[in-house]
Amino acid sequence: MVDGKRKRGKKNPKKSTEEEEPTNSKRSNPATTSSASMDIENNESDFETTEITTKGVPLMDAVVKVFCVHSEPNFSLPWQRKRQYSSSSSGFIISGRRVLTNAHSVEHYTQVKLKKRGSDVKYLATVLAIGTECDIAMLTVQDDEFWEGISPVEFGSLPALQDAVTVVGYPIGGDTISVTSGVVSRMEILSYAHGSTELLGLQIDAAINSGNSGGPAFSDKGNCVGIAFQSLKHEDVENIGYVIPTTVINHFIEDYEKKEEYTGFPTLGVEWQKMENPDLRTAMGMSSHQKGVRIKRIEPTSPEFKVLKPSDVILSFDGIDIANDGTVPFRHGERIAFSYLVSQKYTGDNAIVKVLRDSKILEFNIKLQTRRRLISANIQGKPPSYYIVAGFVFAAVSVPYLRSEYGKDYEYNTPVKLLNKHLYAMAETEDEQLVVISQVLVSDINIGYEDIVNTQVLAFNGKPIKNLKELASMVENCDDEYLKFELDYEQIVILQTRTAKAATLDILATHCIPSAMSADLKT
């Protein structure tokens, strides 16, 4: 759920909020970098290690070092993967013989190992669940020896502002455990860089550096109040870090325990507008005591599309009144965006939404689902989809694809039309995708088309394109004399069907491509 007002200001290259990357070890190819890589500030100062204890048990013994070998997709050459590389980060042991860390710490993993404090043994770990949206991953170890002598971390409640917190982990600057201290300076809905989502987050002033990813943040009572996951990089600020709070962590754990898999955080599939202007409220038929937000658009694939309408005014969610600025009461003296209420629900849960429509108050019992994006925020660890004919490489656009093509500042560098689709377009059906010609593998058959890159395909032989699989099927089964692709910017590509299909095999052989389409398109 998003506030319909999106802002795109001038780019400030010196400011970014990003997940803290695991510390990368030496690579065979230094030019190969993680798609989630980030600028880090080397901090060579020694950290004073302090012993945090509760009931006589050292809590730091439950903090482990996570070693991961990654093999990322190659969106430029989707039929292969990038060279593997290694990284290290932090994690901690919880009840049920499980370990929590960040999702970006084990993203695209091929092998994960854990090492306890003071041990020289690395234990092979199994990944149970990865929550890309909330940037949390759950691991376990089969070896019983790993769990000996370790007490799991206990979770505490949400801390208050100015409460002391201590971040423990294995950041850059050394190989041993380190501790940094600070206080909670802010609590609000944050943008989670890894999952492209907005969830509750804690801002703290304790240093969070590369390698701290997945490490716990303890309160002064010895309870875990969050997981370190990203920091703010800006020339005017220092030591601003962000922590995933226990409400989000518990939601992730309970979601996994209920369904034995991670299903995500549901959303209210609407874009809304603030109702702070009195004339706007009067024109919408609101009385002086009524407050709420106006619905601008509704996701066509969401359950809300069947019952809600544009210009409905949402008055309350599950009995909690929504203010004209879209906030609800949170704690004493605090308010928070009402998306927090939605994020506390689980996929498939029901919620009572009260709306004002034509001066009448209506109530709807809505089943909440996760958001279906036209340009998906992640590919769920799957290899990229592609289709090749006559040297034209067709691909489905996703956020990882845009990040690979245009860098971590893709929201500024992506072509305007694609960026507009990313920010504002809504999927009309569950299986709709945005299909582009990502590149052209130059050959005699495609002379004159070599410069086409990342241009959307709108139709094939006069029929609109819904997704990549449908396009591949249409081309493969085409008996017409010509293949005609209608592209964005009023471009067209026309090829003779027989010669185009015949040339495809030679092009695949020239570029050592094993198949003209990815495995998911063959089924």
Side-chain angles (χ1 to χ4, degrees):
M1 179 179 51
V2 293
D3 185 339
K5 185 176 181 181
R6 297 178 181 266
K7 299 180 180 179
R8 284 188 67 231
K10 295 182 179 179
K11 176 183 173 184
N12 183 351
K14 296 184 180 180
K15 177 180 180 180
S16 62
T17 305
E18 302 163 322
E19 73 259 20
E20 280 302 338
E21 181 66 11
T23 304
N24 291 342
S25 62
K26 294 181 180 179
R27 308 174 186 170
S28 300
N29 181 2
T32 304
T33 58
S34 166
S35 63
S37 65
M38 54 169 291
D39 295 332
I40 58 175
E41 299 175 1
N42 288 329
N43 187 347
E44 299 296 342
S45 61
D46 293 330
F47 295 105
E48 179 183 356
T49 302
T50 60
E51 203 72 19
I52 310 171
T53 61
T54 177
K55 300 180 181 179
V57 179
L59 283 180
M60 285 193 294
D61 286 350
V63 182
V64 299
K65 193 167 186 177
V66 181
F67 298 87
C68 184
V69 178
H70 309 258
S71 180
E72 293 183 352
N74 189 337
F75 290 94
S76 297
L77 305 172
W79 47 88
Q80 64 186 37
R81 301 183 80 85
K82 293 181 181 179
R83 191 185 187 101
Q84 69 180 21
Y85 68 94
S86 301
S87 71
S88 67
S89 56
S90 307
F92 59 98
I93 296 171
I94 63 171
S95 61
R97 292 166 63 101
R98 297 171 295 185
V99 174
L100 292 185
T101 186
N102 282 144
H104 72 263
S105 297
V106 295
E107 186 179 33
H108 306 304
Y109 71 93
T110 56
Q111 185 185 75
V112 182
K113 291 183 178 181
L114 305 179
K115 187 172 75 170
K116 296 190 294 183
R117 182 189 180 201
S119 173
D120 61 346
V121 180
K122 295 179 182 177
Y123 297 87
L124 191 64
T126 301
V127 178
L128 299 176
I130 296 180
T132 304
E133 295 167 303
C134 58
D135 203 1
I136 305 175
M138 182 186 295
L139 320 173
T140 190
V141 174
Q142 300 300 325
D143 194 332
D144 294 335
E145 182 181 306
F146 175 82
W147 306 102
E148 293 177 359
I150 301 295
S151 296
V153 166
E154 295 183 0
F155 292 107
S157 57
L158 280 175
L161 295 179
Q162 295 188 324
D163 276 2
V165 289
T166 305
V167 178
V168 183
Y170 294 87
I172 191 171
D175 295 324
T176 58
I177 202 167
S178 77
V179 176
T180 54
S181 298
V183 298
V184 177
S185 54
R186 181 177 293 169
M187 187 182 304
E188 62 182 354
I189 300 298
L190 296 176
S191 175
Y192 280 42
H194 181 66
S196 300
T197 51
E198 295 183 347
L199 297 169
L200 185 66
L202 304 180
Q203 178 181 309
I204 63 175
D205 62 1
I208 297 179
N209 295 303
S210 181
N212 261 128
S213 301
F218 291 109
S219 68
D220 53 4
K221 295 181 180 178
N223 293 323
C224 177
V225 295
I227 303 174
F229 77 118
Q230 64 188 33
S231 62
L232 180 65
K233 304 297 183 184
H234 190 276
E235 60 182 358
D236 296 330
V237 300
E238 294 181 359
N239 289 352
I240 290 185
Y242 297 102
V243 170
I244 304 169
T246 50
T247 51
V248 177
I249 299 171
N250 288 331
H251 188 287
F252 169 82
I253 295 173
E254 291 176 17
D255 185 27
Y256 174 78
E257 291 176 345
K258 285 181 177 181
K259 304 171 184 178
E260 295 186 353
E261 64 176 350
Y262 171 74
T263 61
F265 287 74
T267 62
L268 194 61
V270 301
E271 286 186 358
W272 52 270
Q273 175 184 356
K274 295 179 180 180
M275 298 286 289
E276 295 176 304
N277 185 276
D279 293 339
L280 176 60
R281 294 197 299 272
T282 301
M284 296 299 297
M286 298 176 67
S287 62
S288 58
H289 69 277
Q290 288 178 325
K291 296 181 180 180
V293 293
R294 173 185 171 269
I295 295 177
K296 296 200 307 179
R297 297 195 299 167
I298 307 169
E299 296 273 2
T301 58
S302 69
E304 293 81 7
F305 188 77
K306 299 177 181 178
V307 293
L308 301 180
K309 295 181 178 181
S311 288
D312 281 352
V313 178
I314 304 177
L315 303 176
S316 68
F317 181 88
D318 258 0
I320 300 178
D321 293 337
I322 301 172
N324 292 323
D325 63 353
T327 63
V328 293
F330 184 47
R331 299 188 301 189
H332 178 70
E334 297 178 87
R335 299 188 67 84
I336 198 167
F338 85 93
S339 60
Y340 171 74
L341 301 177
V342 184
S343 69
Q344 296 304 292
K345 295 283 190 175
Y346 294 88
T347 304
D349 283 358
N350 284 50
I352 303 297
V353 178
K354 183 185 293 186
V355 302
L356 181 69
R357 180 187 300 170
D358 299 327
S359 300
K360 297 180 181 178
I361 296 178
L362 305 175
E363 281 192 0
F364 298 102
N365 190 351
I366 297 175
K367 186 176 183 179
L368 300 174
Q369 298 292 341
T370 54
R371 184 182 179 189
R372 168 68 177 90
R373 301 170 185 257
L374 176 62
I375 296 180
S376 58
N378 60 80
I379 59 173
Q380 303 292 346
K382 300 175 183 177
S385 299
Y386 72 91
Y387 174 65
I388 302 173
V389 63
F392 291 87
V393 181
F394 298 90
V397 179
S398 62
V399 171
Y401 177 90
L402 295 177
R403 188 180 287 116
S404 173
E405 290 288 297
Y406 301 104
K408 64 182 179 181
D409 293 322
Y410 67 91
E411 289 189 319
Y412 297 95
N413 301 328
T414 300
V416 172
K417 284 202 172 184
L418 282 183
L419 185 60
N420 181 67
K421 295 288 178 66
H422 168 52
L423 294 176
Y424 303 110
M426 293 179 173
E428 295 293 330
T429 60
E430 288 288 340
D431 58 352
E432 184 179 0
Q433 293 177 318
L434 193 154
V435 179
V436 297
I437 296 177
S438 66
Q439 62 177 309
V440 179
L441 304 175
V442 177
S443 176
D444 293 345
I445 190 69
N446 52 50
I447 289 176
Y449 298 129
E450 303 93 333
D451 295 332
I452 297 177
V453 59
N454 287 333
T455 304
Q456 184 180 359
V457 183
L458 302 177
F460 172 72
N461 284 1
K463 298 179 181 179
I465 297 301
K466 185 166 61 173
N467 55 50
L468 185 58
K469 187 171 184 177
E470 181 183 72
L471 173 63
S473 176
M474 292 168 66
V475 174
E476 290 294 306
N477 297 318
C478 179
D479 294 326
D480 296 345
E481 183 178 0
Y482 292 101
L483 304 176
K484 181 181 179 182
F485 301 93
E486 297 176 33
L487 312 181
D488 212 348
Y489 305 103
E490 308 302 325
Q491 295 185 81
I492 60 171
V493 170
I494 298 179
L495 301 166
Q496 192 176 59
T497 302
R498 182 178 57 81
T499 55
K501 292 184 177 181
T504 300
L505 294 177
D506 292 336
I507 294 172
L508 295 179
T510 299
H511 293 271
C512 301
I513 302 173
S515 174
M517 65 179 73
S518 54
D520 61 312
L521 301 184
K522 298 177 182 179
T523 56

